[in-house]
Amino acid sequence: MKSDSHQIIAQVYKAKTDSRAADELISSYMPFIKSETAKFLKRPPDPGDDELSIAMFAFYEAVRSYTKSRGAFLNFAALQIRSRLIDNYRREKRNKGQISLDSSDEEQTDLLETIPDGHDEYEATEMREATRQEIEELTAQMTDFGVSMTDVADNSPRQSRTVESCRRAIAYARSHPDILEDFLRTKRVPIARLAEGAAVDRKSLERHRRYLVAVLLICTNGYEILRGHIMQVLKGGC
Amino acid sequence: MKYVVTECHDGYAVLMDEGAGFVHAANLHYAVGQTVTDPILMQEAEPAEKRITVRRILPVFAAAACLAVVSAAGFSYYSGKYRTHSVVVMSSDANIKMYLNKQGEVLSVQAEDDYAEEILKDYDTKNKSKTDVANDLLAKQIESGHLTSGDTVDFYISADTNAAYDTYKTEFETEIQQVRVSVQELGVPEPPKPDKAEKPAAPVTPAAPDPKNGPKAEPEKPDPAKDQLKLPDAPKETPAQAVKPAENPRKNVTPVQPANPPAPPVKPKDPPTVGKEQTPPVLPTEPEEKPELLPDEPKKPEEIEKTDTEEKPDDSIPAPEKPEEQEGGKPVLPDPDTEQTGEKDKEEKKPAEVHPPLPRPEPANGLLPKQDPLQISEPPELFAVLV
């Protein structure tokens, strides 16, 4: 029993930094996750239930935030799952009075079908497919730099001051195409030049090197959809 | 805010927001490239609360215990080595105060006067015991001639405990052989200074004159009981001899005035009325009380009346305020005003104070000489003797 607890703690600590190990841990503990979800729903969860997805996400959160001082991992994960499901239930409860567009009337027709739609579904599907291709290409290119999307998400700046520093560095790189060319050629982020040119702290850039790799790649040619997405905020950017 | 799903896993998805931020979110059946608007984002992992466990507290307690032990040891060392526990005052011509620690070692010496400062100049007490310091300082005084071998030097010891006092006393008495040693216990480590002790007692300053009485107020009222106590040793002296003041600086006062009646304090703000002035100040009621030692027969009341009447114009003369004017060799006479006030006082006092008036010499210039208030108080003593 004691060795089991030690084993799971080791797996948890490994999954904190390794996304593949996290996926394996979640897969191996799916019965536990379903059990906790069933306790909340008072029924066995279907694979398509949002509650099951939220429970899996809560388990992943528990993996990332767990420390030994918090006690047994499974107890901690069960508490985390239950809290997340309660939060989701309360959020859904707030929207309970609103009529869903997916709801059907007496003639079994959805409300969504009755609303004149200017949105082209075909175009949207194409747009999603194009975006997916860009993201896959970006992910592949990031792999050459030794960076994954999960790493980028972990390394993304949170504080506004750090975000601003990164934006200034990216804007400086965009205004100097030679820096982007050197970046693609050497596959190394020119931290010193960016820090000097953008007049930002070098250490701040070094801490968020993976994030800079992803954004600088997006700023290069070939990722128009993603660049257009983030350029809504970064006015005058790439 | 819109998010683009960039990566999907079983338990989570990675989204990219419009601010080029990448976040973790719940994978609600998302697909890569999908745009979502209301995802369930991952909450920032809060730092785990640090529980207070024995394992954490133990080092703190150990450090605190070590600190306490070190502090106690340091305080004990300081208290025994550098804190003043006893004070020894060596009192001779020079008053020197020695501060001793718990072991009786001299921490410092302090000079109480100038001569002590001179002795202690360039003297180092480092690594010297109290008796060595005392012997050295006494030797210096003997060398300088302020002390001789037979002199007695007082040592005042203020110690924490009686045992320490006894020890120090024994040590001083046995180890100091240059002079005689007199050791006394001192509650307050401040020896009596001989300079102050030798000073004469401060003269009793008379009470501040009453502003109503002005400067003419007599210093003291003659107290008959006091006068009796102040009887001279030789009562057979003539009044003239008795009156002659030995300490009187006015040597030019040639005539030996017979004893004046007791002069009570003058009240200048109550000038006597004319009628009262004419009345004789004192009438001898009983001839038996007439003193035999009086050189001259006291005048009869009629004569006194005449004398007072002759002196009547002198009442307009202001009372003497400057005693320096009397040093011209003029005889000192009682002021009529004082006589008048004296008469008032006589009524309140014992009959022994009532004395017959004595004749006064006529002033040379016809004016009543200004009277020294200090001389008025002297005749009562004589008169008391006579009575």
Side-chain angles (χ1 to χ4, degrees):
Chain A
M1 183 67 185
K2 194 172 182 179
S3 61
D4 291 345
S5 64
H6 282 198
Q7 186 180 359
I8 190 172
I9 288 174
Q11 289 176 338
V12 167
Y13 272 86
K14 186 180 179 184
K16 279 176 178 290
T17 53
D18 188 355
S19 60
R20 191 181 301 274
D23 289 340
E24 289 176 0
L25 187 63
I26 290 171
S27 299
S28 60
Y29 279 90
M30 272 306 291
F32 169 76
I33 297 169
K34 285 182 179 178
S35 166
E36 293 299 321
T37 310
K39 287 178 186 174
F40 180 79
L41 294 175
K42 296 183 174 53
R43 62 173 175 82
D46 295 332
D49 285 340
D50 284 349
E51 282 80 5
L52 183 60
S53 299
I54 290 170
M56 293 167 67
F57 180 63
F59 187 86
Y60 178 68
E61 277 184 329
V63 168
R64 290 177 64 96
S65 60
Y66 174 75
T67 57
K68 286 179 180 177
S69 63
R70 295 181 185 267
F73 170 73
L74 291 180
N75 294 340
F76 175 71
L79 183 65
Q80 197 84 354
I81 290 168
R82 185 172 178 80
S83 299
R84 267 295 186 182
L85 290 174
I86 290 172
D87 288 346
N88 182 64
Y89 170 76
R90 287 174 178 163
R91 194 175 65 165
E92 294 294 325
K93 196 178 177 182
R94 279 200 298 269
N95 302 328
K96 201 174 183 179
Q98 299 174 3
I99 301 172
S100 174
L101 293 174
D102 295 330
S103 62
S104 303
D105 57 3
E106 296 173 352
E107 297 176 356
Q108 300 295 322
T109 53
D110 291 345
L111 289 175
L112 188 61
E113 295 174 358
T114 61
I115 299 171
D117 188 11
H119 185 70
D120 191 351
E121 187 67 24
Y122 178 76
E123 188 178 347
T125 307
E126 274 196 346
M127 186 69 179
R128 180 185 297 180
E129 183 61 24
T131 306
R132 189 187 63 78
Q133 287 179 359
E134 277 193 8
I135 290 171
E136 284 181 354
E137 189 178 348
L138 175 65
T139 304
Q141 198 171 5
M142 285 169 60
T143 307
D144 295 341
F145 286 83
V147 178
S148 67
M149 282 291 179
T150 304
D151 296 336
V152 174
D154 291 337
N155 201 235
S156 182
R158 300 283 188 270
Q159 292 184 350
S160 59
R161 193 173 59 183
T162 315
V163 170
E164 181 61 28
S165 297
C166 292
R167 282 181 182 177
R168 287 167 61 182
I170 291 164
Y172 179 78
R174 190 194 135 270
S175 61
H176 294 79
D178 56 324
I179 292 178
L180 292 177
E181 289 174 6
D182 288 347
F183 165 66
L184 291 175
R185 191 183 68 253
T186 61
K187 299 188 184 321
R188 300 182 66 178
V189 180
I191 297 287
R193 291 181 64 185
L194 291 176
E196 186 179 357
V200 295
D201 187 20
R202 178 171 178 163
K203 283 189 177 179
S204 298
L205 300 182
E206 284 178 350
R207 286 195 197 101
H208 303 285
R209 192 183 65 83
R210 295 173 188 173
Y211 169 78
L212 288 175
V213 167
V215 178
L216 287 176
L217 284 175
I218 291 171
C219 287
T220 57
N221 290 329
Y223 304 104
E224 292 178 0
I225 299 173
L226 294 177
R227 199 161 58 238
H229 176 73
I230 63 175
M231 283 309 108
Q232 293 176 13
V233 175
L234 295 174
K235 292 180 180 177
C238 312
Chain B
M1 180 178 282
K2 290 182 180 179
Y3 296 85
V4 174
V5 181
T6 57
E7 197 173 56
C8 287
H9 294 265
D10 292 339
Y12 64 97
V14 177
L15 313 182
M16 184 178 69
D17 62 16
E18 294 169 325
F22 291 79
V23 293
H24 290 277
N27 186 6
L28 300 176
H29 315 289
Y30 296 147
V32 174
Q34 184 182 353
T35 302
V36 295
T37 54
D38 192 16
I40 298 173
L41 300 178
M42 178 177 282
Q43 294 173 347
E44 293 295 327
E46 296 177 358
E49 295 179 2
K50 290 184 178 178
R51 290 183 182 178
I52 300 173
T53 59
V54 176
R55 190 174 292 178
R56 285 182 181 172
I57 288 176
L58 198 61
V60 178
F61 271 110
C66 290
L67 188 65
V69 169
V70 170
S71 301
F75 178 76
S76 175
Y77 179 77
Y78 166 78
S79 176
K81 194 80 177 174
Y82 298 108
R83 192 178 165 203
T84 301
H85 282 261
S86 307
V87 178
V88 175
V89 179
M90 194 170 63
S91 178
S92 58
D93 280 357
N95 288 332
I96 298 170
K97 195 184 281 185
M98 289 190 289
Y99 295 95
L100 312 180
N101 62 8
K102 199 169 188 177
Q103 284 83 32
E105 298 169 350
V106 178
L107 295 174
S108 63
V109 290
Q110 181 183 347
E112 295 289 301
D113 49 30
D114 295 339
Y115 178 51
E117 284 182 4
E118 185 183 340
I119 290 173
L120 292 177
K121 196 174 183 181
D122 300 331
Y123 183 74
D124 187 15
T125 61
K126 198 172 184 181
N127 298 327
K128 290 182 180 175
S129 68
K130 54 187 174 300
T131 51
D132 291 343
V133 171
N135 277 320
D136 291 348
L137 297 177
L138 289 173
K140 277 192 170 187
Q141 294 182 57
I142 289 171
E143 283 178 7
S144 63
H146 284 79
L147 278 179
T148 58
S149 298
D151 288 345
T152 301
V153 175
D154 293 329
F155 281 79
Y156 299 92
I157 299 175
S158 171
D160 284 350
T161 59
N162 291 330
Y165 169 75
D166 294 338
T167 306
Y168 297 165
K169 182 180 180 181
T170 308
E171 288 180 3
F172 279 120
E173 286 175 347
T174 56
E175 297 183 21
I176 294 177
Q177 296 171 351
Q178 304 177 45
V179 293
R180 294 177 187 169
V181 174
S182 169
V183 180
Q184 300 173 34
E185 188 169 11
L186 182 66
V188 180
E190 188 66 32
K193 293 188 177 181
D195 295 341
K196 291 181 179 178
E198 289 174 7
K199 283 182 181 176
V204 179
T205 56
D210 191 2
K212 290 181 180 178
N213 293 337
K216 276 178 130 184
E218 285 295 324
E220 284 183 8
K221 290 182 179 179
D223 189 4
K226 210 173 184 178
D227 293 339
Q228 291 291 342
L229 292 174
K230 291 181 180 176
L231 283 174
D233 294 335
K236 290 180 181 178
E237 266 186 318
T238 60
Q241 290 172 341
V243 165
K244 184 180 281 181
E247 298 175 1
N248 194 353
R250 300 174 186 85
K251 295 176 181 177
N252 293 332
V253 180
T254 47
V256 178
Q257 190 65 24
N260 288 331
V266 179
K267 295 182 178 178
K269 286 202 171 180
D270 289 332
T273 58
V274 177
K276 285 183 179 178
E277 287 176 355
Q278 291 178 352
T279 56
V282 176
L283 289 178
T285 52
E286 297 177 1
E288 293 81 15
E289 294 181 1
K290 186 174 67 177
E292 295 177 4
L293 294 175
L294 282 175
D296 301 329
E297 278 291 323
K299 289 183 179 181
K300 292 180 179 178
E302 293 79 12
E303 295 175 0
I304 295 171
E305 272 187 19
K306 285 180 184 177
T307 311
D308 290 339
T309 343
E310 289 171 3
E311 294 174 2
K312 188 178 179 182
D314 295 341
D315 293 337
S316 60
I317 300 171
E321 293 183 1
K322 298 177 181 177
E324 291 80 13
E325 294 178 10
Q326 292 181 355
E327 296 185 3
K330 293 176 184 177
V332 179
L333 289 177
D335 192 80
D337 294 342
T338 56
E339 287 183 7
Q340 191 62 33
T341 51
E343 186 179 359
K344 286 180 180 178
D345 292 335
K346 282 172 194 170
E347 296 172 3
E348 300 172 3
K349 293 180 179 176
K350 297 177 182 179
E353 295 181 27
V354 180
H355 308 291
L358 295 176
R360 306 174 189 172
E362 288 290 336
N365 55 0
L367 296 174
L368 189 65
K370 294 183 178 177
Q371 185 183 1
D372 186 4
L374 293 174
Q375 290 194 354
I376 297 172
S377 60
E378 294 202 7
E381 292 185 11
L382 171 65
F383 203 79
V385 170
L386 296 176
V387 169

